[in-house]
Amino acid sequence: MPTAQRIMFASLLLIALGSPVLTFNMALNTNCKVLAHEDPLANLLYRYWGQDSYGANNPSDLANWQQDISYYCADDSIDTLPIAFLNVFYYTGGVPSINLANSCNTVNQSVFPGTALLDCSSLAAGIQACQSKGKIVTISLGGSSGSIGFSDDTQAKAFAQTIWDLFLGGSSNTRPFGSAVLDGIDLDIEGGSQTGYTAFVSTLRGLMAGGSKQYYITAAPQCPFPDSYLGPTLNQVQFDAVYVQFYNNWCGLNNYNNKNAWNFGTWDNWAKTVSPNSNVKIYIGAPASPTAAGSGYVDPSTFSNIIQQVQSQYTSFGGVMLWDASQAYANGRYDLAVKAALTGGGGTGASSPPNTTNGGASTTPTASPTPSSGSSSCGGVAAWQASQTYVGGDQVSYNGHLWTAQWWTYGDVPGGPAGVWIDKGSCST
């Protein structure tokens, strides 16, 4: 997702569709997550909270901007809220940095002296109120931009201790959420390299094992398998749930009817035959509205049918993750249609919005792009880089042509066999 949108997306909200006092059970397959930043559990709905995706796309519609975390906890369907994002791993003073859009920033909050780490302790009461209602609150690391990654395993292990001290069961003078103790972490890694993540998760698992309560570790990989950044780590250490992003990719929900594209079965096979956690659950990550992602959005009725089919076919299915809470609420409570599908209630919930350039898509497989014969201005457009991650809508120049990405991509050459890039014509400048 574009930097402005991902950093404005909300944190994950896992919504329990059953009794609001039930605690989250990762082993269930009637879960639904909605990203409230981004938020997306039985029956649960998972949403990210923190990035205000809708507000980023609709700055004048103040009534539907992301609300305080306690606002979403008042909804008895909410079970878990991953807060997004911790978007810088190392910064001034040797501590990470977080970005929570309108909820906590340098305008309404200060930073800890000598660091760039925001003091968001004003959110502590809301977080604790959520937890008092049996809801899980975690911190999501990464996002589509920022400074993330490790140089080696030693650095990764040290960072695990830092995360434990700042957000979980450890102690520090620079805890961003004050006295609030979060319930785990989520890894949404979309850049950098694979180095260190196995050591990071393994070290954190060890610290959690000695904690005084249950902690969770989840991941949100892209749907292309294996994931470019977390693939080896997912194979070597235990994750409680994996929220696969079936959007901004060729394997997105809009290609559900294309057997050569939709690959939930591949992730199901991984869960059953490779994952160190035999009970790991796979979630369908989906956009909660047409403006929530570049591609992958499907209307409530279509998505309800997909959920019911996947739920009956794959035992690893854990629920749905929606990106994000702000988008779901603004889109006629799209999450309620998802909840109904997960619990067998049927119905379409929100009205079906028209398809848009930003995210509207049908379930019909997309035809191969046809190169443009015209000319386009490449002025100000950066050249394609093999080491750069791109998402749907990003533009690059390559071999004298302007190209637009159809979905998330890494290392796919414009004009290559992957069919990721649309040729917009030769550069006029």
Side-chain angles (χ1 to χ4, degrees):
M1 296 181 182
T3 299
Q5 294 183 17
R6 288 305 295 271
I7 296 301
M8 290 290 292
F9 269 13
S11 89
L12 289 144
L13 304 176
L14 292 172
I15 297 180
L17 307 181
S19 170
V21 297
L22 293 178
T23 56
F24 174 51
N25 185 347
M26 289 277 184
L28 297 174
N29 70 350
T30 51
N31 299 328
C32 172
K33 302 176 186 150
V34 178
L35 302 178
H37 122 76
E38 350 177 308
D39 127 336
L41 289 176
N43 306 325
L44 310 175
L45 185 63
Y46 167 49
R47 301 181 217 163
Y48 279 98
W49 176 90
Q51 289 302 305
D52 189 23
S53 171
Y54 180 81
N57 287 282
N58 302 274
S60 63
D61 188 6
L62 299 180
N64 286 306
W65 276 25
Q66 172 179 281
Q67 303 296 312
D68 183 78
I69 192 170
S70 59
Y71 171 83
Y72 299 100
C73 288
D75 185 336
D76 287 340
S77 64
I78 302 260
D79 181 71
T80 300
L81 305 90
I83 299 174
F85 284 110
L86 187 157
N87 63 317
V88 176
F89 279 15
Y90 293 96
Y91 212 88
T92 306
V95 296
S97 179
I98 59 178
N99 183 305
L100 303 181
N102 63 324
S103 296
C104 183
N105 52 60
T106 54
V107 174
N108 56 33
Q109 301 294 338
S110 62
V111 298
F112 290 102
T115 79
L117 180 60
L118 286 163
D119 181 353
C120 301
S121 54
S122 61
L123 299 178
I127 293 172
Q128 292 167 335
C130 292
Q131 294 172 319
S132 70
K133 295 181 179 181
K135 304 170 192 312
I136 292 173
V137 183
T138 64
I139 181 72
S140 185
L141 281 59
S144 65
S145 65
S147 177
I148 62 176
F150 308 108
S151 59
D152 52 38
D153 285 357
T154 298
Q155 188 184 58
K157 292 176 181 178
F159 191 63
Q161 183 68 55
T162 297
I163 295 300
W164 175 257
D165 291 339
L166 296 186
F167 298 96
L168 305 174
S171 61
S172 172
N173 293 325
T174 56
R175 288 182 66 89
F177 303 125
S179 59
V181 179
L182 301 186
D183 301 301
I185 68 156
D186 172 66
L187 290 175
D188 182 6
I189 307 304
E190 302 185 32
S193 71
Q194 300 174 348
T195 302
Y197 285 104
T198 299
F200 171 74
V201 176
S202 297
T203 302
L204 203 52
R205 275 289 182 204
L207 292 168
M208 290 177 171
S212 59
K213 67 174 185 177
Q214 176 70 54
Y215 292 98
Y216 299 96
I217 297 180
T218 63
Q222 305 289 319
C223 57
F225 185 91
D227 184 72
S228 298
Y229 308 107
L230 291 178
T233 301
L234 289 169
N235 292 344
Q236 296 177 50
V237 292
Q238 289 195 1
F239 283 79
D240 296 294
V242 177
Y243 314 133
V244 183
Q245 296 184 39
F246 287 102
Y247 50 93
N248 289 339
N249 284 291
W250 54 266
C251 42
L253 276 166
N254 52 307
N255 280 329
Y256 176 76
N257 288 333
N258 184 344
K259 66 180 181 180
N260 295 318
W262 175 253
N263 66 346
F264 191 97
T266 300
W267 285 97
D268 174 75
N269 181 69
W270 167 83
K272 295 174 180 176
T273 64
V274 180
S275 172
N277 178 11
S278 60
N279 293 317
V280 66
K281 291 300 179 182
I282 308 299
Y283 288 78
I284 297 176
S289 82
T291 61
S295 66
Y297 176 80
V298 294
D299 63 73
S301 179
T302 299
F303 196 21
S304 294
N305 290 331
I306 292 175
I307 291 169
Q308 291 166 358
Q309 292 177 41
V310 174
Q311 190 175 43
S312 64
Q313 186 176 2
Y314 299 104
T315 56
S316 71
F317 176 70
V320 172
M321 172 273 283
L322 296 179
W323 185 277
D324 64 8
S326 64
Q327 295 278 7
Y329 273 62
N331 187 20
R333 289 305 301 271
Y334 182 84
D335 52 314
L336 297 183
V338 173
K339 177 171 95 172
L342 286 169
T343 56
T348 59
S351 59
S352 302
N355 288 340
T356 69
T357 301
N358 285 332
S362 67
T363 56
T364 303
T366 303
S368 299
T370 300
S372 169
S373 59
S375 63
S376 302
S377 172
C378 294
V381 179
W384 175 79
Q385 299 289 330
S387 60
Q388 175 69 46
T389 296
Y390 300 96
V391 298
D394 284 352
Q395 290 192 320
V396 299
S397 60
Y398 183 74
N399 278 352
H401 281 235
L402 179 67
W403 303 82
T404 299
Q406 296 192 86
W407 48 69
W408 182 95
T409 177
Y410 178 83
D412 295 311
V413 179
V420 173
W421 298 93
I422 297 176
D423 186 353
K424 307 301 289 187
S426 60
C427 296
S428 59
T429 60

